[in-house]
């Protein structure tokens, strides 16, 4: 019975404090209008010989990614981004492709959090973060 009280107290403490899931990036913690990011994708193979962004996830969410990018940059169409990503993927060895610079953090975050895309979105290039660069305006 003594252990039951201890376990109950631990459970209540966890419920009050909450669990910190470090694998999830939360938009609420950052002012998404103030920060810009560069979107780099790793479209190559991982060490296990499988694409980092598996085909099923790539093609399932590619339209969403292209729409988000074209909405943030009205100079480019959905087709532009689709062709850029598909052409790089067909080469099969593209490990770091710059898709777009200076997109809002909220757009970057939406792409990063798409199922299966997390491993393919690059956060650091040459030791510098491509995420959360302060905007000029």
């Amino acid at each position: 019975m003594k252990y039951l009280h201890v376990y109950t107290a631990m459970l209540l403490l966890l419920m009050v404090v909450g669990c910190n899931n470090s694998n999830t990036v939360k938009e609420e913690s950052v002012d998404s209008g103030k920060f810009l990011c560069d979107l780099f994708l790793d479209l190559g193979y991982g060490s296990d010989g499988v694409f980092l962004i598996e085909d099923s996830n790539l093609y399932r969410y590619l339209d969403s990614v292209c729409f988000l990018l074209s909405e943030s940059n009205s100079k480019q169409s959905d087709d532009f981004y689709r062709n850029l990503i598909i052409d790089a993927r067909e080469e099969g060895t593209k490990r770091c492709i710059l898709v777009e610079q200076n997109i809002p953090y909220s757009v970057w975050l939406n792409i990063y959090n798409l199922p299966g895309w997390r491993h393919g979105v690059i956060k650091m290039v040459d030791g510098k973060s491509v995420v959360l660069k302060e905007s000029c305006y």
Side-chain angles (χ1 to χ4, degrees):
M1 193 67 157
K2 176 180 175 183
Y3 293 110
L4 181 60
H5 293 295
V6 171
Y7 291 131
T8 304
M10 289 173 41
L11 180 61
L12 289 172
L13 180 63
L14 281 173
M15 290 172 63
V16 170
V17 173
C19 296
N20 181 15
N21 184 354
S22 62
N23 291 331
T24 303
V25 179
K26 295 186 178 179
E27 187 173 2
E28 303 88 41
S29 63
V30 176
D31 178 9
S32 61
K34 185 178 178 183
F35 292 99
L36 300 174
C37 304
D38 295 341
L39 179 64
F40 287 88
L41 293 178
D42 185 344
L43 296 171
Y45 296 101
S47 59
D48 55 0
V50 177
F51 281 117
L52 289 175
I53 303 175
E54 294 178 3
D55 284 341
S56 60
N57 289 322
L58 177 77
Y59 293 108
R60 181 179 300 144
Y61 299 105
L62 185 60
D63 288 339
S64 299
V65 169
C66 295
F67 174 77
L68 288 167
L69 291 170
S70 67
E71 285 291 308
S72 69
N73 180 8
S74 59
K75 295 177 186 174
Q76 301 295 349
S77 67
D78 292 7
D79 290 334
F80 169 80
Y81 293 111
R82 186 174 294 104
N83 292 335
L84 178 71
I85 293 170
I86 295 300
D87 290 346
R89 176 59 170 262
E90 288 175 356
E91 291 180 24
T93 57
K94 290 288 186 176
R95 298 308 310 238
C96 186
I97 178 174
L98 174 61
V99 178
E100 189 58 71
Q101 289 183 304
N102 298 322
I103 62 173
Y105 173 67
S106 59
V107 172
W108 184 93
L109 183 66
N110 285 335
I111 295 170
Y112 178 81
N113 283 325
L114 286 171
W117 283 70
R118 185 172 299 228
H119 296 293
V121 176
I122 297 172
K123 295 184 203 173
M124 301 284 286
V125 176
D126 296 332
K128 295 181 181 178
S129 177
V130 298
V131 182
L132 301 180
K133 303 182 305 181
E134 196 156 350
S135 68
C136 300
Y137 46 93

